[in-house]
Amino acid sequence: MSDKKLVTILIPVYNGAKYLSGLLHSFSNFVESGGGRNEFLEQCEILVVNNCSTDSTLDIATSFEGRIPNLRVETPSTHVPTAEENVFRSFKRCHGEYTWVLGCDDIVRFEAIGDVLEVARESKYDLAIFNFMQSDKDGGMETVCNYFMKERVYSGDLVGFTQRMGFWWLIAGFSGQIVRTSRVAHFDHPALIAKTSPIYSHVTAYLECLSRGTAAIINVQNVVYRLSDNDADHWRRAAGLLGVFDEYFWTLGYIRQIKYLEKSGIVGADYLIKMIESNRSGFFRPTVVIYDKLLSQLQLMKAARGKRNDRNSLNRSDFEEIVNFFAERDLLARPFLNALREIFEDLAEGHWVDKALFEQAQARLQSYRSTFLLLPAFVGSYADYEIYLISKTYYAVHRYFRNALLDVIRYLDPIEHAPIVFAATSQVEVALRIKQNGIGLAWDSVPPSLMRYWAQPALSAPAAGSLNHSGSQSHITALQATQRELKAIYRSRRSRFARFTAWLTVVGLKLAKYALSLSSTSSAEASKA
């Protein structure tokens, strides 16, 4: 067999004896079963890189060398502290055009091996992300796919993918993807870690290596990815080993990775603020998680008062680096960030911080959290529609049906919920779609199945300059706006009681408007006299 392969299946492992035997058994059974054996042996190699394990990992790996002809086992001379570092130093050991990184606890879907090889053979993409399945840490199935898609392939650029689907969720788990080996094999990963953080550094590295290439999501389930134990104790131990504060990985370490990408010209200054992160439960703002972690770190700092050299006592430069980064980019978060500054100043000066200050900060964070998820992506409005730019696509959603937009972006394929959500490649095109098929405030054309997205927003004040400065005229205009909102309700498909109540209120508003107009006329005549 030639050393050159189509795919290297890389298994980086440290003290993985608990799971490695099961994974290698599955490959051994696949080879011995004869199904696809020849192609697999000719086109693939399995490379186990043992990170100087202290358990029986090495013995288990070498015991399968006779049963799996295309298996290699290597042990570097030094141990590295993270899986990310073990993966990146292993890329140069891989003989495959593509590398498929597997965790030792993953479950391979061997019926998809042919699809993986086909994608690699086509050689169209620098990174192919498969629509993998997931189980909990005990093996119970949680999801049968990550992404809602009808077509086999959704292609694009990796930066756009991560901004729409998440920095953490999309490619943080290695197992569901194959990467062109030559694009990452010589990357200076230690230099990146020195400037940022080891945790999630592989995502930053992929963005730097592959930002000018092509990426795709493939609608094939190639692996069952086991969700690892993500508890606080695990990350606290990891932080202790690296000598950083407990929430470093999701605050300062993460921010330094984003700043590194900004400085390299790979992402813009609005990259993180406009990012939509996803997980198996839905969408969320990554900034919410970061802010929550930062508040938790200040609570840990308070608890560490009086302890010498406690790593959870944030120094001023680290705190300012985090807060200033967001203060310059996230206007909606400034009230919360100001509350954090007040707490930090008291802690830094050695003053006692009352829990009321933490409660105030939490209330401001909750206010930030409750604002519409896509608000940072807002680019304008047309008629009764709000327009958002998400991953190079313009989406227009009727302001009463915002939740429908969240449903639409769950799907990678082009999809609309007309007449309440439209998608286009430009604002001009989306405005034309609204003009031709928009609904305004008449709900007769909205299918009953879409009325579930109805979410009437709180009435906002009229735009400045839209009225004259007469107090009564302002009241009249406000009443007219309210009247339009209520008309929309009694013309909708809502319950009879709701529609009757709206109609009755409109009648009352008409009388109030008439009375105010009489009052305004009388006042004008009196002023002339």
Side-chain angles (χ1 to χ4, degrees), residues 273-387:
I273 305 308
K274 293 185 177 180
M275 186 184 294
I276 307 166
E277 187 65 66
S278 60
N279 59 23
R280 60 192 182 279
S281 302
F283 296 116
F284 62 93
R285 291 185 201 171
T287 50
V288 170
V289 175
I290 297 165
Y291 295 155
D292 185 65
K293 296 287 188 182
L294 187 54
L295 183 58
S296 296
Q297 187 60 46
L298 290 183
Q299 291 171 327
L300 290 171
M301 184 176 175
K302 177 183 177 182
R305 287 181 62 195
K307 298 180 181 178
R308 288 188 175 183
N309 301 320
D310 188 276
R311 59 185 176 81
N312 277 318
S313 293
L314 275 175
N315 63 55
R316 182 174 295 279
S317 63
D318 286 351
F319 177 78
E320 291 294 340
E321 183 177 350
I322 301 168
V323 173
N324 288 342
F325 175 88
F326 287 109
E328 294 170 2
R329 294 163 175 80
D330 194 357
L331 299 181
L332 296 174
R334 285 186 176 179
F336 170 71
L337 298 174
N338 289 337
L340 291 187
R341 281 195 170 102
E342 185 176 357
I343 293 172
F344 179 80
E345 289 299 332
D346 282 349
L347 289 172
E349 294 294 329
H351 301 153
W352 173 256
V353 180
D354 190 86
K355 69 176 183 178
L357 284 180
F358 282 98
E359 291 172 352
Q360 181 188 53
Q362 189 64 55
R364 291 183 178 181
L365 178 57
Q366 182 56 40
S367 178
Y368 174 88
R369 183 185 284 113
S370 65
T371 56
F372 186 48
L373 174 67
L374 299 177
L375 189 58
F378 177 76
V379 294
S381 61
Y382 185 87
D384 290 297
Y385 289 78
E386 298 169 347
I387 302 175

Side-chain angles (χ1 to χ4, degrees), residues 434-508:
I434 294 169
K435 187 175 181 180
Q436 293 173 338
N437 302 301
I439 57 175
L441 293 175
W443 312 126
D444 295 343
S445 61
V446 179
S449 61
L450 298 181
M451 287 302 293
R452 69 184 186 276
Y453 296 115
W454 172 281
Q456 184 176 352
L459 297 180
S460 57
S466 62
L467 311 174
N468 64 31
H469 296 290
S470 165
S472 59
Q473 182 61 40
S474 297
H475 290 311
I476 291 171
T477 308
L479 288 172
Q480 288 173 335
T482 305
Q483 184 177 326
R484 287 195 297 270
E485 309 279 358
L486 291 165
K487 280 183 178 179
I489 295 176
Y490 76 69
R491 290 174 179 170
S492 71
R493 299 174 184 270
R494 300 184 72 176
S495 68
R496 289 183 178 179
F497 177 77
R499 286 185 283 135
F500 175 76
T501 303
W503 175 83
L504 197 61
T505 307
V506 167
V507 173

